Structure formats: C-alpha cells, structure tokens
C-alpha cells in the first residue's frame, strides 16, 4: 500500500519492538451529503458553522490531530463560495494537513454515472488537492449503493491501492474487515469494510458520560471489530451525516479508553490506519478475496428507477461531453485550447455536482430534485453552446453569420468510431422563394436519399461580428430534412444542397438568361451569358 501516510506514535514500544496489542484509530470526520432531504443552499449555513467550529478547535486544541472532510473536495468549494474568499486560516490548516480532503470531487454513485464521469471526478478532486498541497490516495467510498467491477482498476490507475467500503458486501459473509478486491481486469486493491458504517463511533462528546445505551453500542461495535479484524487494528469513525466536529476530542478519547479495556486508542487518519494494518497483516494467512461487482445494497436498489428523468438528462450531458466535445477539442489548435478549458471544466463540474449518491440516485426531496434538474439543464446548455463554438473553430465558419441561400452546404459529423449509413435528421434554412420539393442533396457528387419532413416560415436574423443583429430575412423557410449519408468513422462529411430548378436561388440571376451550371460536389459554378460567374465553395 502506497498512499501518503504517517506512522502513529503508539505502534512501537520504547525498545522499538512492534506492539501486538489491540490498537484503534479514531478518525474524526463528517459525512457531508451535499444535498439530500435539504438542498445545497439550505445546508450551506450548517457547512459554514462546521468550518467555524473546526477553526475554533484547531486554534484552541493543539493536540487535535486532523479532520477528514469526507473524501471529497466539493464541500470545500461550497464553503469558499459561501465566504466569498479563501480564508488564510483554512489555507494553513490544509497545508499543515490538519484538514484532509479528496481524492474525489463528489462521492458519486457508481452505477448511474458513466466511466468517464468517475475518472473526471478523480481528476477534479486531485486538482483541488494538489492546489492546496495534498495528495491523499485514499479510495474512500463510504456510502455508494454498491460498487462496479472496474473500480479497483480506476483506483490503481490513479496510484490508489486501497478502498474503504460500507455497502456492497454482506457482513455475515466477510471473515475479516480486511480483504482483497480484484477488478474484472485483474487489478487489486486492499479493501477495508466499514463495519457498522462510517459512524460506528459517532457522537463521542465530553459533555456526555458515555454510559447507558450509547456506551453499550460503542462497546458492541468495538467487540464486533475485534472479532472481524485479522490484524488487531480497529477503525473507529467519529462522525455521521452532516456532523459537526467534536470539541475536546482528546478528552473524549481518554474517557473512551477507560470504557474499552484492552484497546489502545489514538486519534488519527485513514492513512494512519492503513500503515498499522500493513505492518500487522498476517504473513501466512491470506485475506479473503472478492472479485468484480459488489452489489449488496438492501433497500436501496429502487434508486435505479427513481426519477428517471434525472438519469436520462444526466446521460445526455455525459454523452455530449464525452463523445462530442472531448474529441472536438483534439482538433483545436493548441494556441486556442485555453479559451475552452474553463468552460469544459464548469460543464463537468455542474454534471458531477449531480452525481452524488443522494443526488443521481434520486432518494431526495422534491426541492433537491428541482435543483438537480436545473444544474443538469445548465450543464446541457453550456455543453451545447461549447460544442457549437468548437465546430465553428474547427470548420472556420459561423452559420449564424451566413445568409440563407442556395446552393448551400451541410457539414455532417459522425462522433462515433465506426462507419455509419443511417438516417440523419438535419435543419436547413433556405430562401423564401425556394421549392423544398425540388432540393437536391449530393455527397461527393452523388445524390443521396432525402425527404423534407417539415417546413416552417421564420423571420431569420443573422449575427454580425460585434453581436449586433443587422440583417433580417423575412419569410425564410426552416426545413427539417431526413437524409441518409455515408459517414466515416469520426469524420466530417460535406453534403451539397442545391435547387433542382434551372436557376440557383440566392445566386446572381438574369430573367432573360439560361445559365450553365457545373457542380462536382466541391465547387458549384453558374456561368451567365454575359460572361460573369457565380462560384460557391461547397
């Protein structure tokens, strides 16, 4: 195991011998469901209070080790947005690793988002981590509703060799909380089952006496961990959904130490826990091995079909970003790439903010549902506009600045990596006097099947360089046409459009003339009797 980690001070005795007692690492954290029963904005004041409490703790309690911000960075961005700036105290706490973040941007559901979204999620989380001087390679997946078979492959691809899971495995079928998880491709990570969930040591508070029902539950959780641990290292998660950090945690740990005889407890991080486990793994006894998908998530499988409109809207955004915009960016000149990166990042962020397990799974309130659809709508609008800008950049022409004319040219793009011959629906603006039934569509000089399926008369406005609309074309016809072109893999293909009448609409014409025409699919030439020519680059 190779994540960045420090070795806790309780590992060895004074002579440097490795200790064999039962050790417990208490990880202070919050499980921050960005939205669920409340919306992002309804929870934002509580998020600000969380950071205010954390600032006070770090200022007043020098022995406070660290705080785990739920393995994601999105809540950090939400806090920065709420403050309107990046407080200096927080920058210092992140640099000193008093607050630990990442590696994810959001804690997404693995079944309902695309593979590219999962990879982008890690890229985005890592970008924020590195910006504040951290690189926490912790495969933290505490609340996903099951796990895909490729997750070990994705994690190892980012240098992460471990995974912390709550759902997916049946606890009764797990001989030990430590196990090996192997992907469908054969990559392996060291797994840790969060026995009792990510809140098995929640609500430890010095103001409470750790007695009665709460104390009994803590003792029960620890005994279960002892029974299921192959290393004698216990992981106690001090946090729960939307939990605020606990003040005077060292005093609470001391009281807990008295309650749990035979267990040596220290506050630390998940990396500290992994370091202890690595040193104590039994050399002769192999750990349990699990292959592929981990699907056990009772009572949560209904999330796959809840609010289907959210799932379909998300898939439309993912497809546009993954299969259209990303490939188009590879065709843009490197000097112009910078103008698109920020917009692409924002589109991905808007989508990934909807990928949280309590967001895309749709197990949330109606207010949250409205917010999710609104963000997906914004991502779709931005992605579509970005796609148009990239097409203009690649092709060198902006259709909105061109007049409706004939002859004309359609440019069709096949974003898929295989050839296609299938019907394609296109929109085409032609002059008012054009006869839609006489239009001829040619690809590389050969006519292709085409059918006009709708016609609408519009008032068309053309854009100018400064954004001022100056040209109004009253009575322009907007046609919807069904074509069947031949599209190469990942290719752009031109389709020439002309009128089948003898005179070409939109060209220079003389009522007394009978112009001669040349058209090879690349250029269209009309030769008039007075010796003039109209030449159109198709």
């Amino acid at each position: 195991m190779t994540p960045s980690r420090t070795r806790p001070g309780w590992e060895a005795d004074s002579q440097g011998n490795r200790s064999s007692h039962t050790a417990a690492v208490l990880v202070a954290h919050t499980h921050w469901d960005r939205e669920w029963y409340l919306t992002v904005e309804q929870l934002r004041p509580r998020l600000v209070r969380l950071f205010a409490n954390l600032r006070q703790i770090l200022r007043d309690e020098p022995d406070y080790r660290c705080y785990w911000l739920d393995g994601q960075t999105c809540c950090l961005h939400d806090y920065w947005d709420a403050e309107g700036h990046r407080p200096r105290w927080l920058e210092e706490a992140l640099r000193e690793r008093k607050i630990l973040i990442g590696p994810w941007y959001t804690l997404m559901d693995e079944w309902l988002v695309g593979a590219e979204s999962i990879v982008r999620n890690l890229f985005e989380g890592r970008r924020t981590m590195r910006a504040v001087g951290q690189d926490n390679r912790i495969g933290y997946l505490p609340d996903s509703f099951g796990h895909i078979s490729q997750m070990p492959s994705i994690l190892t691809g980012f240098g992460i060799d471990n995974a912390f899971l709550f759902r997916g495995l049946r606890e009764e079928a797990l001989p030990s909380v430590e196990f090996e998880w192997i992907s469908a491709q054969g990559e392996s990570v060291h797994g840790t089952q969060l026995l009792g969930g990510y809140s098995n040591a929640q609500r430890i508070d010095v103001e409470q006496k750790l007695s009665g029902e709460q104390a009994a539950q803590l003792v029960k959780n620890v005994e279960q961990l002892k029974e299921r641990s192959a290393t004698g290292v216990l992981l106690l998660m001090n946090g729960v959904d939307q939990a605020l950090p606990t003040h005077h945690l060292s005093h609470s740990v001391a009281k807990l130490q008295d309650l749990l005889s035979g267990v040596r407890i220290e506050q630390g991080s998940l990396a500290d826990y992994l370091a202890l486990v690595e040193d104590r793994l039994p050399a002769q006894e192999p750990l349990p091995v699990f292959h592929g998908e981990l699907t056990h998530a009772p009572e949560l499988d209904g999330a796959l079909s809840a609010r289907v409109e959210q799932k379909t809207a998300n898939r439309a955004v993912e497809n546009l970003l993954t299969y259209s915009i990303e490939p188009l960016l590879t065709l843009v000149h490197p000097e112009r790439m910078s103008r698109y990166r920020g917009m692409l990042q924002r589109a991905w962020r808007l989508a990934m903010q909807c990928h949280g397990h309590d967001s895309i799974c749709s197990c949330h309130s109606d207010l949250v549902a409205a917010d999710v659809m609104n963000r997906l709508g914004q991502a779709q609008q931005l992605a579509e506009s970005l796609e148009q800008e990239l097409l203009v950049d690649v092709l060198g022409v902006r259709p909105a600045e061109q007049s409706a004319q004939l002859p004309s040219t359609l440019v069709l793009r096949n974003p898929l990596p295989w050839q296609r011959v299938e019907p394609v629906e296109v929109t085409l603006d032609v002059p008012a006097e054009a006869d839609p039934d006489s239009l001829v569509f040619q690809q590389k000089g050969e006519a292709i099947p085409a059918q006009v399926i709708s016609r609408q008369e519009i008032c068309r406005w053309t854009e100018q360089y400064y954004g001022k609309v100056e040209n109004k074309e009253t009575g322009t016809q907007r046609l919807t046409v069904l074509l069947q072109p031949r599209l190469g893999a990942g290719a752009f293909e031109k389709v020439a459009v002309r009128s089948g009448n003898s005179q070409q609409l939109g060209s220079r014409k003389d009522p007394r003339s009978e112009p001669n025409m040349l058209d090879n699919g690349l250029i269209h030439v009309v030769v008039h009797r007075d010796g003039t020519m109209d030449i159109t680059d198709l």
Side-chain angles (χ1 to χ4, degrees), residues 94-333:
L94 290 166
R95 188 169 56 251
E96 295 170 2
R97 300 182 59 80
K98 290 289 189 179
I99 301 175
L100 301 172
I101 61 171
W104 302 100
Y105 178 62
T106 55
L107 293 179
M108 76 284 143
D109 180 81
E110 300 169 33
W111 303 108
L112 295 171
V113 304
E116 182 67 19
S117 292
I118 296 175
V119 172
R120 285 280 172 177
N121 201 310
L122 272 171
F123 268 118
E124 189 63 33
R126 188 170 64 170
R127 180 183 287 115
T128 300
M129 275 200 307
R130 292 184 171 180
V132 300
Q134 294 189 18
D135 186 16
N136 297 309
R137 301 187 185 186
I138 304 295
Y140 194 61
L141 297 162
D143 205 17
S144 298
F145 300 170
H147 305 281
I148 59 174
S149 64
Q150 298 92 340
M151 184 54 69
S153 300
I154 294 171
L155 293 174
T156 54
F158 282 83
I160 300 171
D161 64 359
N162 60 86
F164 288 85
L165 315 178
F166 170 30
R167 310 186 197 280
L169 292 167
R170 296 178 181 272
E171 290 187 358
E172 62 273 16
L174 196 63
S176 68
V177 296
E178 305 94 344
F179 61 94
E180 292 298 316
W181 182 19
I182 301 176
S183 74
Q185 292 76 28
E187 292 86 354
S188 174
V189 295
H190 175 84
T192 300
Q193 170 78 0
L194 297 173
L195 196 65
Y198 49 79
S199 55
N200 62 357
Q202 63 172 303
R203 298 188 181 94
I204 297 175
D205 194 328
V206 293
E207 296 178 359
Q208 300 180 16
K209 296 182 180 180
L210 290 176
S211 59
E213 183 178 347
Q214 184 184 30
Q217 185 62 50
L218 274 170
V219 172
K220 180 181 178 180
N221 291 345
V222 169
E223 291 303 317
Q224 288 179 339
L225 284 170
K226 284 183 180 179
E227 293 175 3
R228 298 288 183 87
S229 174
T231 61
V233 182
L234 314 182
L235 180 59
L236 302 178
M237 300 297 290
N238 174 225
V240 72
D241 300 355
Q242 279 67 254
L244 301 179
T246 302
H247 291 264
H248 308 295
L249 189 58
S250 60
H251 298 171
S252 298
V253 169
K255 289 190 175 185
L256 188 60
Q257 183 78 72
D258 295 337
L259 182 68
L260 303 174
S261 59
V263 180
R264 192 170 180 182
I265 307 171
E266 292 283 348
Q267 186 194 359
S269 66
L270 293 174
D272 294 334
Y273 168 81
L274 286 174
L276 280 177
V277 168
E278 183 178 8
D279 283 342
R280 294 189 177 196
L281 279 175
Q284 305 300 325
E285 300 178 18
L287 293 176
V289 176
F290 291 88
H291 293 267
E293 295 177 348
L294 306 178
T295 60
H296 183 64
E299 301 180 4
L300 294 170
D301 50 354
L304 292 171
S305 59
R307 302 186 193 268
V308 175
E309 69 279 4
Q310 294 181 352
K311 277 76 166 173
T312 54
N314 173 68
R315 185 50 54 91
V317 172
E318 288 182 317
N319 286 345
L320 189 55
L321 290 172
T322 302
Y323 301 114
S324 181
I325 291 176
E326 297 280 6
L328 277 174
L329 278 170
T330 65
L331 305 178
V332 173
H333 193 282

Side-chain angles (χ1 to χ4, degrees), residues 13 138 355 488:
D13 59 22
I138 304 295
H355 291 173

Side-chain angles (χ1 to χ4, degrees), residues 323-474:
Y323 301 114
S324 181
I325 291 176
E326 297 280 6
L328 277 174
L329 278 170
T330 65
L331 305 178
V332 173
H333 193 282
E335 293 182 356
R336 297 194 298 274
M337 283 286 290
S338 59
R339 73 174 68 170
Y340 303 115
R341 287 197 186 101
M343 289 186 288
L344 178 63
Q345 182 184 18
R346 173 166 172 76
W348 271 114
R349 278 187 174 181
L350 284 168
M352 290 187 295
Q353 286 168 16
C354 302
H355 291 173
H357 51 281
D358 289 320
S359 298
I360 194 63
C361 287
S362 308
C363 48
H364 48 234
S365 69
D366 289 345
L367 279 177
V368 171
D371 282 357
V372 169
M373 288 301 293
N374 183 54
R375 282 197 302 274
L376 289 172
Q378 290 177 326
Q380 182 77 20
Q381 293 163 23
L382 177 55
E384 288 175 348
S385 297
L386 181 55
E387 181 186 41
Q388 290 302 309
E389 286 296 310
L390 288 168
L391 287 169
V392 168
D393 191 310
V394 171
L395 299 175
V397 61
R398 186 177 296 275
E401 295 177 357
Q402 311 299 313
S403 298
Q405 61 181 357
L406 288 175
S408 183
T409 303
L410 290 169
V411 179
L412 305 180
R413 171 176 171 246
N414 176 16
L416 301 178
W418 56 79
Q419 294 183 348
R420 301 162 69 191
V421 181
E422 58 191 63
V424 175
E425 187 175 295
V426 300
T427 301
L428 174 66
D429 290 348
V430 298
E433 62 270 26
D435 179 7
D437 294 330
S438 71
L439 295 181
V440 176
F441 297 83
Q442 292 179 313
Q443 183 181 10
K444 297 179 180 178
E446 297 181 4
I448 61 174
Q451 180 180 356
V452 178
I453 57 177
S454 72
R455 173 189 174 279
Q456 180 184 11
E457 188 173 300
I458 64 169
C459 180
R460 187 174 185 273
W461 300 80
T462 56
E463 299 176 1
Q464 300 302 306
Y465 182 80
Y466 291 103
K468 181 180 179 183
V469 176
E470 294 182 349
N471 299 331
K472 181 173 71 171
E473 299 173 344
T474 304

